[in-house]
Amino acid sequence: MKRIYALLVLVAVCGRLAYSQRHPAPGLTVNKTGTLLLNGKPFRGAGVNYFNAFARTLDKNATGDTSYKAGFRYLKARNIPFARFMCSGFWPVNYTLYLEDKARYYKNLDAFVKAAEEIGIGLIPSVCWNVNTIPDLVGEPVGQWGNPKSKTIAFMKRYVKELVQRYRHSPAIWGWEFGNEYNLVIDLPGDNDNLPPVAVSAGTPPTRSKADKLSLADLQTALTAFAKQVRKFDKHRIIISGNANPRASAFHLARAGSWEKDTKAQYRQMLDEQNPGPVNTLSIHQYPDNEGAYFAEGPASLEEIIRVTMEAAAQLKKPLFVGEFGAQEKLLGAATAKEKYKELVNAILVNKVPLSAMWVFDYTPHDTENGINVNPATGAREYMITLLQQLNN
């Protein structure tokens, strides 16, 4: 009987293994060695930030904006496989449709995801884009991201549950990102300095205080709560912080409130601390203003910063997502911006970065992003897409 039982167990295990090989987990996943997989196979790819593609639909008085369909077709035709986008409102006022007509809100998002499925574009939704928006919505200071029992965390968890349960079976969803660059506002010195913006007409409170500031511990609490909530409903897809590069003084700011430059080793340590498990990727945003005197050891090129980050990713077994990269013409001049963009693309290529996304595609209103927007209607800066296409090929 024991032999028969053992044989039955072996058959069952082999059956599950064969099934998992025929039906790999959907979207992007990470294996035990830290390799990024798409639908179960090793993957490297460069996409775009289609920042406000969904946000255009959030005006409750609008008849419905489906301009993203043309954008998806444009990307598909050029072998651009995925888009990162803001899957929420930017300001509190932009949550009006969600709060007052949730059925319509999700009808709009259903149509957005369905279009990506039909056209064949992957999606990385950034769920809580703006750091101060959810606390402002629920009437709490921004620092309540660090309180696991806060209204802020409760609102986030409720929204994450709705999203993940609704779209976890969609082949278009590649992963789940928390928000955008929360790590740039942590550990900043001064009680009344470096506070979040005030825009009362957009739904913020009229004043801010030191209670609106965040620490590294607050960021870790928020990211951990987000990641655990995602994992309740999606056991496989990658979880991304959405962070930019750690500030050049991130280690010293966290320990002593000092602007002293970090060493490369301290930079690697902050990458780890700012992307805590169950977050299973590293996230940076790379622009030319990141280079220069970035490390205590001395000047570093764009390629070196990415190389050092990839070394940390290999050590931590967390694949790197360069969630934004680009070069702004209005800051650098058109010729220099183009050269810096090429330099970034080459750094991503030579360092074999598994996942990256150019900033920014089809941003409306057009050309408000310091001369960095690719406008598919006019062909402005199409060289950025062409270089991505070459990178993917």
Side-chain angles (χ1 to χ4, degrees):
M1 288 296 293
K2 289 183 179 179
R3 291 181 179 179
I4 294 174
Y5 177 76
L7 181 60
L8 290 173
V9 170
L10 178 61
V11 170
V13 168
C14 291
R16 286 196 297 269
L17 178 61
Y19 180 86
S20 65
Q21 290 173 340
R22 294 194 306 270
H23 304 276
L28 290 170
T29 59
V30 181
N31 69 12
K32 292 181 180 180
T33 66
T35 300
L36 187 70
L37 310 175
L38 176 62
N39 300 325
K41 297 180 179 179
F43 178 79
R44 285 165 54 200
V48 300
N49 277 273
Y50 206 165
F51 164 64
N52 68 342
F54 168 64
R56 300 170 194 172
T57 74
L58 296 183
D59 183 350
K60 68 175 183 177
N61 297 314
T63 56
D65 185 330
T66 60
S67 57
Y68 52 78
K69 292 182 179 180
F72 287 160
R73 294 190 188 99
Y74 175 99
L75 296 172
K76 184 66 176 178
R78 289 158 179 79
N79 194 31
I80 309 300
F82 76 93
R84 173 182 180 250
F85 72 101
M86 179 174 63
C87 190
S88 58
F90 187 90
W91 296 105
V93 70
N94 303 130
Y95 276 78
T96 301
L97 183 62
Y98 174 78
L99 294 173
E100 296 184 0
D101 192 350
K102 189 179 289 189
R104 182 175 173 188
Y105 179 91
Y106 279 115
K107 181 179 179 181
N108 291 350
L109 189 50
D110 288 347
F112 184 82
V113 173
K114 183 179 180 182
E117 290 175 354
E118 292 176 344
I119 296 169
I121 294 294
L123 297 173
I124 295 180
S126 191
V127 176
C128 308
W129 186 275
N130 191 14
V131 62
N132 56 273
T133 298
I134 291 179
D136 289 349
L137 268 178
V138 300
E140 290 184 331
V142 180
Q144 287 299 295
W145 276 117
N147 177 4
K149 297 182 179 180
S150 67
K151 295 178 183 178
T152 297
I153 294 291
F155 186 101
M156 177 274 289
K157 286 184 175 180
R158 183 167 62 250
Y159 187 52
V160 168
K161 179 179 179 180
E162 292 171 3
L163 283 177
V164 179
Q165 284 189 320
R166 194 177 189 97
Y167 301 113
R168 62 188 171 187
H169 299 301
S170 170
I173 301 297
W174 279 19
W176 304 101
E177 182 178 278
F178 174 53
N180 187 61
E181 300 183 347
Y182 282 40
N183 67 321
L184 295 185
V185 303
I186 63 172
D187 299 322
L188 299 180
D191 288 347
N192 298 310
D193 300 320
N194 304 302
L195 297 176
V198 169
V200 177
S201 62
T204 75
T207 60
R208 300 288 192 187
S209 73
K210 63 180 181 181
D212 291 295
K213 304 192 76 169
L214 291 174
S215 67
L216 173 61
D218 295 331
L219 175 66
Q220 290 172 332
T221 295
L223 283 169
T224 301
F226 171 80
K228 287 183 176 179
Q229 186 73 346
V230 169
R231 277 291 173 259
K232 285 182 181 179
F233 310 105
D234 186 336
K235 304 298 183 184
H236 305 290
R237 287 182 180 85
I238 60 170
I239 300 175
I240 307 160
S241 67
N243 287 341
N245 305 60
R247 285 184 177 273
S249 304
F251 179 90
H252 288 89
L253 284 168
R255 270 74 179 173
S258 165
W259 289 102
E260 182 180 345
K261 291 286 177 65
D262 297 342
T263 64
K264 293 176 184 177
Q266 290 166 341
Y267 170 81
R268 295 187 188 100
Q269 182 172 339
M270 295 314 295
L271 283 168
D272 185 16
E273 293 182 11
Q274 292 182 3
N275 295 272
V279 174
N280 62 349
T281 60
L282 296 187
S283 171
I284 66 169
H285 295 170
Q286 189 69 63
Y287 294 93
D289 57 357
N290 292 140
E291 65 180 333
Y294 189 72
F295 300 121
E297 290 86 346
S301 66
L302 293 169
E303 189 279 328
E304 183 176 3
I305 295 171
I306 290 179
R307 173 161 40 87
V308 170
T309 311
M310 280 292 291
E311 290 169 357
Q315 181 180 4
L316 296 169
K317 296 182 180 179
K318 292 185 175 184
L320 175 61
F321 180 28
V322 182
E324 295 179 15
F325 71 90
Q328 298 167 316
E329 291 178 0
K330 291 184 180 179
L331 298 181
L332 301 172
T336 301
K338 189 172 185 178
E339 288 306 308
K340 286 296 181 182
Y341 184 83
K342 289 180 179 179
E343 187 178 336
L344 281 163
V345 170
N346 186 66
I348 289 167
L349 175 66
V350 299
N351 287 288
K352 299 181 179 179
V353 174
L355 201 67
S356 56
M358 174 272 294
W359 184 272
V360 59
F361 175 73
D362 193 23
Y363 183 84
T364 55
H366 291 301
D367 294 324
T368 59
E369 272 288 285
N370 292 319
I372 199 172
N373 178 51
V374 174
N375 186 338
T378 66
R381 303 177 194 90
E382 190 168 3
Y383 74 86
M384 295 182 180
I385 297 294
T386 300
L387 286 170
L388 283 192
Q389 185 175 5
Q390 294 171 2
L391 178 61
N392 283 321
N393 289 340

